[in-house]
């Protein structure tokens, strides 16, 4: 149970920190190689791009978890608390439905990548490692949106029980 709680609290942060450290180190090595040794590494930019793709998909669920996504708050601010909660519930429901719609497409995208057996140009790694990022990202996002929806639903229940 402690492991699940730790994963729930820290999974995205740990992954994003590791990806960022890797990107900074790889690009640092590339800069040193290019300007100090006059040699360009063929693999560094490709790997950094792939790490960035993964970071992008992971960061979406992180933003939902931390409630730091870009949104317009003016409408929420003029509503009373029950209205704000209802609007947040509606927003989470729409995003959840979007995730459920996207998951089969992400799975199909990954299956096609596996079937094609494509590899990356410089690194020669199977592309399905990179192209699994949307599926993992949307799975994490689905979980985080469901958690946010549940949090708002409990708030809404509290609003109705107070009245």
């Amino acid at each position: 149970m402690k492991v699940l709680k730790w994963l729930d609290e820290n999974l995205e942060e740990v992954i994003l920190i590791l990806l960022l450290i890797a990107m900074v180190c790889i690009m640092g090595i590339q800069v040193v190689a290019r300007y100090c040794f006059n040699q360009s590494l063929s693999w560094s930019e490709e790997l950094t791009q792939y790490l960035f793709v993964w970071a992008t998909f992971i960061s979406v669920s992180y933003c939902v978890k931390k409630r730091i996504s870009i949104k317009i708050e003016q409408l929420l601010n003029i509503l009373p608390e029950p209205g704000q909660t209802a609007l947040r519930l509606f927003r989470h429901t729409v995003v959840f439905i979007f995730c459920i719609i996207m998951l089969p497409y992400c799975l199909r995208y990954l299956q096609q990548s596996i079937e094609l057996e494509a590899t990356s140009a410089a690194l020669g790694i199977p592309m399905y490692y990179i192209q699994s990022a949307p599926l993992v990202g949307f799975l994490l996002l689905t979980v985080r949106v469901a958690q946010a929806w549940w949090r708002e639903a409990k708030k809404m229940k509290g609003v109705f029980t107070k009245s």
Side-chain angles (χ1 to χ4, degrees), residues 96-107:
F96 185 80
I97 290 169
F98 176 72
C99 289
I100 296 302
I101 291 169
M102 288 303 295
L103 283 172
Y105 291 104
C106 293
L107 188 58

Side-chain angles (χ1 to χ4, degrees), residues 116-128:
L116 289 174
E117 298 178 1
T119 57
S120 66
L123 294 168
I125 60 174
M127 287 303 292
Y128 59 80

Side-chain angles (χ1 to χ4, degrees), residues 16 20 35 37 39 70 77-78 85 88-89 92 95 123 128 134 141 144 156 162:
L16 288 170
L20 183 61
Y35 292 104
F37 303 111
Q39 295 288 324
I70 298 171
N77 292 337
I78 62 172
T85 303
R88 283 190 206 103
L89 267 173
H92 295 319
V95 173
L123 294 168
Y128 59 80
L141 180 59
R144 295 306 182 187
M156 184 65 93
K162 286 180 186 175

Side-chain angles (χ1 to χ4, degrees), residues 25-43:
C25 290
I26 292 166
M27 291 315 298
I29 292 168
Q30 170 69 353
V31 168
V32 169
R34 184 175 288 170
Y35 292 104
C36 293
F37 303 111
N38 207 20
Q39 295 288 324
S40 182
L41 306 173
S42 61
W43 55 269

Side-chain angles (χ1 to χ4, degrees), residues 34-116:
R34 184 175 288 170
Y35 292 104
C36 293
F37 303 111
N38 207 20
Q39 295 288 324
S40 182
L41 306 173
S42 61
W43 55 269
S44 64
E45 289 179 37
E46 184 177 279
L47 183 56
T48 303
Q49 286 176 349
Y50 297 152
L51 295 175
F52 186 74
V53 167
W54 268 94
T56 301
F57 280 101
I58 300 295
S59 67
V60 175
S61 67
Y62 175 76
C63 288
V64 169
K65 180 177 102 176
K66 294 293 185 177
R67 300 178 196 134
I68 55 174
S69 58
I70 298 171
K71 54 192 171 277
I72 299 171
E73 295 288 327
Q74 282 78 11
L75 179 60
L76 276 175
N77 292 337
I78 62 172
L79 293 173
E81 184 60 37
Q84 291 180 10
T85 303
L87 195 55
R88 283 190 206 103
L89 267 173
F90 175 73
R91 182 179 65 204
H92 295 319
T93 302
V94 170
V95 173
F96 185 80
I97 290 169
F98 176 72
C99 289
I100 296 302
I101 291 169
M102 288 303 295
L103 283 172
Y105 291 104
C106 293
L107 188 58
R108 197 170 313 137
Y109 178 63
L110 179 58
Q111 286 172 333
Q112 289 173 348
S113 176
I114 292 169
E115 290 168 4
L116 289 174

